[in-house]
């Protein structure tokens, strides 16, 4: 079966396996016509809060809704600056802008591709001034307050959170975790707290249940997790047009509710998530073993000892990513690029005035990263073929020098 095509992601097999369960969920929803809110949403929220070791969960319409509503509920206002990284999906910065704030960036760590705490510290020390009276930090050039940080747990791996929490405490910043790619990821906190789960460490966190995520709906869905009761309450208001009771609008809100049917599907899938995440880790380990020896022409994902990644993606780096992707495509192997253009250089943000060279680590990574097939059902045989095609392609790509 040398020519079998291998998809980057197989979403069909898993859903066919759950068909029976999903039909029962649909029947329940049809019997009660409970399509918006109600017990299916509440039950999922309880289960997901527990899974994330977080006190509260508020289901919303998407990961983008989750980020936007969490930022607004955390008190981010028009004119604020919110700091994140350039190598994330645009939803991270869309949510910041749509909350009224201006996104700004700090560069990432070379090996984990996540926010470099040293760069965040440098940004605050070199570009900002601490106002003792207001207990706030202001961006020197624009005079705007920097009020929040959005660390992005990328590819299934958490950001090095301890130093970021220390910096946030020092500068009075809110932390909203972008956990859209990190359902169940773990971080060992040396602040005496041991292993912590994504979504439990910041002021609040945002999850996406876009179908391809580790926990994916059969449509659009998202959730906010938080340990702050007031923040959860505000998110509940905001997702439902600011209503505290029917037609009693305490604030102007949004239509950002989680569908009951999606909540039902998600709750059923959540019961499998631990096993699926373990399967992803086993696949990543197998890739690592099979690729041992290719170091030099291929950079493998790095998992520090404080991290337990859930491998939403298995991302390698190759000097000639374009050629490698082309060869794999010709061999029938699906790949992805997450993400080809760092956000500070994307057209939508031309107005922010960034230039090539501003965030060199993120820029270099963007030009070399390649995501290989990764999903729990990926078989050993399929993996062996992916690896053999990658190695064959690398051997044929001439003079693979790291730029
Ligand atoms: C890092 C990151 N942030 C935010 C989002 C937005 O989530 P959604 O597509 O559910 O709005 C995604 C999902 O694609 C993501 O990967």
């Amino acid at each position: 079966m040398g020519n079998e095509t291998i998809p980057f992601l197989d979403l069909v097999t898993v859903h066919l396996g759950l068909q029976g369960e999903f039909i029962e969920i649909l029947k329940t929803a049809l019997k009660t016509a409970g399509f918006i809110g109600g017990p299916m949403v509440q039950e999922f929220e309880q289960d997901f809060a527990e899974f994330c070791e977080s006190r509260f969960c508020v289901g919303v319409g998407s990961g983008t809704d989750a980020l936007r509503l969490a930022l607004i509920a955390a008190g981010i206002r028009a004119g604020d600056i919110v700091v994140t990284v350039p190598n994330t999906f645009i939803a991270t910065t869309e949510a910041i802008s749509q909350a009224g704030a201006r996104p700004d960036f700090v560069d990432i760590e070379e090996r984990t591709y996540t926010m470099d705490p040293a760069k965040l510290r440098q940004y605050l020390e070199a570009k900002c001034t601490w106002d003792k009276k207001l207990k706030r930090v202001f961006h020197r050039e624009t005079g705007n307050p920097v009020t929040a940080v959005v660390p992005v747990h990328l590819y299934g791996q958490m950001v090095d959170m301890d130093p970021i929490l220390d910096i946030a405490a020092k500068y009075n910043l809110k932390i909203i975790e972008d956990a859209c790619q990190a359902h169940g990821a773990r971080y060992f906190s040396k602040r005496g707290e041991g292993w912590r789960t994504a979504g439990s460490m910041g002021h609040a966190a945002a999850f996406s249940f876009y179908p391809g995520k580790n926990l994916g709906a059969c449509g659009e869905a998202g959730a906010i997790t938080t340990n702050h009761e007031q923040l959860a309450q505000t998110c509940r208001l905001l997702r439902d047009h600011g209503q505290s009771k029917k037609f009693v609008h305490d604030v102007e809100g949004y239509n950002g509710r989680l569908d009951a049917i999606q909540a039902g599907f998600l709750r059923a899938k959540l019961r499998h998530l631990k096993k699926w995440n373990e399967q992803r880790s086993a696949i990543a380990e197998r890739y690592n073993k099979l690729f041992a020896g290719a170091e030099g022409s291929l950079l493998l994902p790095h998992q520090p000892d404080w991290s337990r990644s859930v491998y939403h993606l298995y991302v390698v780096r190759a000097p000639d990513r374009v050629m490698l992707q082309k060869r794999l495509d010709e061999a029938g192997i699906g790949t992805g690029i997450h993400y080809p253009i760092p956000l500070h250089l994307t057209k939508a943000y031309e107005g922010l005035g960034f230039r090539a060279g501003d965030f060199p680590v993120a820029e270099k990574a963007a030009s070399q990263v390649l995501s290989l097939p990764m999903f729990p059902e990926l078989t050993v045989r399929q993996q062996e073929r992916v690896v053999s095609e990658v190695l064959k392609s690398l051997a044929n790509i001439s003079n693979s020098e790291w730029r």
Side-chain angles (χ1 to χ4, degrees):
M1 288 281 281
N3 291 327
E4 177 205 11
T5 57
I6 300 171
F8 170 61
L9 173 64
D10 173 10
L11 281 181
V12 175
T13 309
V14 61
H15 290 106
L16 285 179
L18 294 167
Q19 208 173 3
E21 225 175 318
F22 281 11
I23 288 169
E24 291 310 311
I25 291 162
L26 276 173
K27 280 188 188 163
T28 307
L30 289 172
K31 254 188 248 158
T32 58
F35 302 125
I36 307 280
M40 293 218 282
V41 171
Q42 281 163 12
E43 284 161 4
F44 170 67
E45 287 176 338
Q46 270 165 21
D47 288 0
F48 195 64
E50 197 179 306
F51 178 84
C52 297
E53 296 175 332
S54 196
R55 284 183 65 206
F56 306 98
C57 168
V58 182
V60 292
S62 67
T64 314
D65 271 355
L67 276 168
R68 187 187 337 105
L69 301 191
L71 283 162
I72 297 170
I76 306 316
R77 292 289 170 261
D80 289 4
I81 291 174
V82 174
V83 183
T84 189
V85 286
N87 61 325
T88 173
F89 184 54
I90 193 168
T92 313
T93 45
E94 282 173 339
I96 294 171
S97 302
Q98 290 161 11
R102 187 174 76 91
D104 207 349
F105 301 104
V106 294
D107 214 339
I108 54 167
E109 283 183 334
E110 239 358 287
R111 289 301 282 114
T112 58
Y113 313 128
T114 53
M115 180 177 277
D116 184 339
K119 301 272 170 55
L120 177 63
R121 197 183 299 277
Q122 230 169 48
Y123 172 93
L124 292 160
E125 284 171 0
K127 293 192 172 174
C128 303
T129 315
W130 173 248
D131 186 317
K132 260 198 226 155
K133 246 203 210 143
L134 296 172
K135 293 196 169 32
R136 283 187 125 181
V137 68
F138 287 84
H139 188 255
R140 267 191 222 133
E141 212 175 285
T142 61
N144 292 44
V146 180
T147 51
V149 179
V150 180
V152 182
H153 303 321
L154 199 71
Y155 306 154
Q157 174 149 276
M158 284 181 73
V159 179
D160 186 3
M161 288 298 287
D162 277 353
I164 290 183
L165 289 166
D166 288 342
I167 295 166
K170 180 170 173 192
Y171 290 97
N172 192 16
L173 303 170
K174 295 276 163 51
I175 298 218
I176 308 298
E177 299 168 64
D178 183 335
C180 287
Q181 300 188 6
H183 318 69
R186 310 269 284 164
Y187 173 82
F188 190 84
S189 173
K190 290 204 185 87
R191 297 165 122 230
E193 293 159 305
W195 287 100
R196 301 288 301 271
T197 304
S200 70
M201 295 195 78
H203 210 72
F207 288 88
S208 164
F209 304 124
Y210 190 74
K213 301 296 195 220
N214 289 31
L215 179 63
C218 299
E220 301 278 1
I224 297 147
T225 56
T226 181
N227 289 318
H228 297 267
E229 190 164 10
Q230 186 54 51
L231 192 144
Q233 193 49 36
T234 307
C235 288
R236 280 192 198 106
L237 275 186
L238 289 172
R239 75 173 169 185
D240 191 21
H241 300 287
Q243 292 188 110
S244 51
K245 276 192 224 145
K246 195 159 178 74
F247 300 135
V248 177
H249 304 275
D250 295 358
V251 291
E252 188 181 275
Y254 300 82
N255 178 352
R257 297 167 297 230
L258 169 62
D259 254 34
I261 290 171
Q262 296 303 341
F265 291 163
L266 286 165
R267 186 161 181 247
K269 287 179 87 176
L270 183 57
R271 292 195 271 271
H272 303 272
L273 184 55
K274 192 165 173 283
K275 171 192 70 195
W276 289 334
N277 282 345
E278 284 165 5
Q279 285 169 329
R280 286 174 181 271
S281 290
I283 289 167
E285 262 174 49
R286 193 173 307 117
Y287 267 141
N288 290 344
K289 277 197 195 120
L290 295 170
F291 280 129
E295 287 143 56
S297 51
L298 199 68
L299 203 56
L300 304 180
H302 173 63
Q303 180 176 250
D305 52 13
W306 44 257
S307 165
R308 291 292 176 273
S309 175
V310 289
Y311 290 97
H312 172 55
L313 297 168
Y314 185 87
V315 179
V316 295
R317 266 171 89 162
D320 196 345
R321 183 260 314 279
V322 176
M323 188 55 81
L324 179 57
Q325 188 175 37
K326 185 169 173 284
R327 293 269 160 93
L328 291 175
D329 182 49
E330 285 161 3
I333 291 169
T335 57
I337 299 174
H338 302 88
Y339 297 90
I341 306 171
L343 290 180
H344 64 292
L345 300 179
T346 213
K347 188 163 180 280
Y349 293 125
E350 265 171 13
L352 293 180
F354 292 105
R355 279 192 298 251
D358 283 345
F359 304 103
V361 185
E363 288 168 30
K364 196 169 162 198
S367 71
Q368 297 178 332
V369 287
L370 187 69
S371 310
L372 299 181
M374 167 56 85
F375 48 90
E377 298 76 18
L378 191 69
T379 64
V380 176
R381 196 170 47 81
Q382 285 177 315
Q383 253 195 296
E384 284 169 349
R385 193 165 107 71
V386 173
V387 171
S388 115
E389 292 295 346
V390 168
L391 297 178
K392 216 168 26 174
S393 306
L394 287 173
N396 289 334
I397 297 169
S398 62
N399 197 18
S400 327
E401 270 183 43
W402 291 99
R403 267 179 283 155

